């Protein structure tokens, strides 16, 4: 299998991670009658199923790439979270938040290419 | 709508209790736990490469990865109750420092200048996000 596929899978993993965070946040913003339902509701269950899928995907990715690329795998979701939290949660998208995310993207490019 | 979702400098949602030092400690303890999940992921991957998917080492490392992740998830969900998802997730990028440290100390990987510059940029990005 072409090793470049494993690098392409990193943003895929990051996007699924970001989406699962949005689901968790939607769950956390709700009021529940019992603490158990904070953990056992559709948002949380689907989110953690995504998480398990991401864990398996990351193990698959790590079979071909160095552990240090975990930096990319775990920084890229921040960018996806910003986009998804704006679109889905209607959270504020400030200039500083955009600038911060641009720096993160620049950092990921430096990390990967240099 | 946007005003209702704005944050103060401590990063918690408006209308929620202020996140004190204990909450930030809990947040960063969760992040440290998360970095351990990455270690088990890589160990499982190395085991797959060396021994195969169904070898006992692979199963053990994958199991430890899942258990560790489950514990982390319990902490993380409590964090999300106190912090805006953007802010909580930005803090999680401290994981990058742990990741580079473990890469050198545990997996004897070579860290390039680009890796260090890239990590500095990423952390700078986090600080910019936190400064609002």
């Amino acid at each position: 299998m072409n090793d470049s596929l494993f690098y392409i899978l990193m943003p895929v993993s990051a996007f699924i991670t970001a989406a699962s965070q949005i689901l968790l946040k939607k769950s956390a913003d709700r009021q529940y009658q019992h603490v158990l339902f904070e953990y056992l509701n559709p948002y949380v269950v689907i989110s953690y199923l995504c998480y398990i899928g991401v864990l398996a995907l990351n193990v698959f990715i790590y079979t071909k790439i160095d552990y240090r690329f975990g930096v990319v795998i775990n920084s890229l979701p921040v960018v996806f979270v910003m986009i998804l939290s704006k679109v889905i949660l209607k959270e504020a998208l400030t200039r500083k938040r955009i600038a911060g995310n641009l720096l993160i993207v620049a950092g990921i490019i430096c990390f990967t290419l240099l | 709508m946007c005003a209702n979702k704005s944050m103060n400098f401590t990063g918690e949602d408006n209308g929620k209790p202020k996140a004190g030092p204990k909450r930030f400690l809990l947040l960063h303890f969760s992040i440290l736990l998360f970095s351990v999940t990455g270690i088990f992921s890589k160990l499982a991957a190395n085991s797959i490469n060396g021994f195969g998917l169904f070898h006992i080492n692979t199963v053990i490392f994958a199991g430890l990865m899942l258990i560790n992740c489950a514990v982390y998830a319990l902490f993380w969900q409590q964090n999300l109750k106190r912090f805006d998802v953007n802010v909580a997730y930005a803090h999680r990028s401290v994981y990058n420092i742990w990741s580079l440290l473990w890469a050198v100390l545990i997996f004897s990987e070579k860290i390039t200048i680009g890796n260090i510059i890239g990590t500095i940029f990423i952390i700078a990005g986090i600080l910019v996000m936190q400064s609002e």
Side-chain angles (χ1 to χ4, degrees):
Chain A
M1 195 178 292
N2 189 343
D3 282 5
S4 61
L5 170 72
F6 291 84
Y7 289 93
I8 295 166
L9 284 175
M10 289 195 293
V12 173
S13 166
F15 183 83
I16 298 170
T17 303
S20 72
Q21 290 296 313
I22 298 298
L23 287 174
L24 277 185
K25 182 61 179 172
K26 282 187 84 76
S27 170
D29 283 345
R30 293 187 167 206
Q31 297 288 327
Y32 297 96
Q33 289 186 332
H34 192 280
V35 69
L36 197 63
F37 294 120
E38 287 184 17
Y39 296 96
L40 293 177
N41 65 70
Y43 288 124
V44 172
V45 171
I46 294 169
S47 174
Y48 286 130
L49 285 176
C50 287
Y51 239 57
I52 291 168
V54 164
L55 281 173
L57 181 59
N58 288 348
V59 170
F60 181 63
I61 292 169
Y62 279 136
T63 57
K64 292 292 179 187
I65 68 166
D66 281 352
Y67 174 75
R68 65 196 162 101
F69 282 99
V71 170
V72 176
I73 293 171
N74 287 284
S75 297
L76 206 46
V78 178
V79 181
F80 288 129
V81 163
M82 180 191 71
I83 297 165
L84 292 176
S85 64
K86 171 64 182 172
V87 173
I88 297 170
L89 302 177
K90 310 296 182 195
E91 287 184 359
L93 194 57
T94 63
R95 285 182 183 176
K96 282 188 175 177
R97 197 169 282 184
I98 293 168
N101 275 278
L102 287 175
L103 276 170
I104 290 169
V105 171
I108 288 168
I109 291 169
C110 278
F111 192 99
T112 310
L113 299 181
L114 295 181
Chain B
M1 180 66 78
C2 289
N4 290 337
K5 284 288 184 182
S6 68
M7 296 169 292
N8 62 26
F9 72 97
T10 57
E12 75 269 25
D13 286 347
N14 284 343
K16 290 187 175 181
K18 185 179 177 181
K22 276 187 181 178
R23 284 287 165 185
F24 277 99
L25 272 176
L26 185 67
L27 180 64
H28 282 270
F29 175 72
S30 309
I31 295 161
L32 182 60
L33 268 180
F34 183 66
S35 76
V36 177
T37 301
I39 292 170
F40 288 133
S41 300
K42 182 60 178 169
L43 288 172
N46 288 348
S47 180
I48 289 170
N49 285 336
F51 307 110
L53 184 60
F54 300 106
H55 190 271
I56 185 69
N57 286 1
T58 308
V59 173
I60 288 171
F61 288 134
L64 287 171
M65 175 188 75
L66 283 172
I67 292 166
N68 188 78
C69 195
V71 175
Y72 153 77
L74 291 175
F75 281 104
W76 188 250
Q77 199 159 338
Q78 290 305 312
N79 289 323
L80 282 180
K81 287 173 73 176
R82 294 280 177 162
F83 295 95
D84 189 271
V85 67
N86 259 306
V87 174
Y89 217 85
H91 272 267
R92 208 176 90 158
S93 293
V94 172
Y95 167 92
N96 298 330
I97 297 170
W98 293 116
S99 190
L100 287 183
L101 194 67
W102 303 145
V104 173
L105 295 179
I106 298 175
F107 300 108
S108 304
E109 292 176 7
K110 188 182 172 187
I111 302 298
T112 66
I113 292 293
N115 295 156
I116 294 168
I117 293 171
T119 305
I120 290 170
F121 264 87
I122 290 166
I123 292 168
I126 296 159
L127 291 177
V128 167
M129 289 174 71
Q130 287 298 293
S131 67
E132 64 180 4

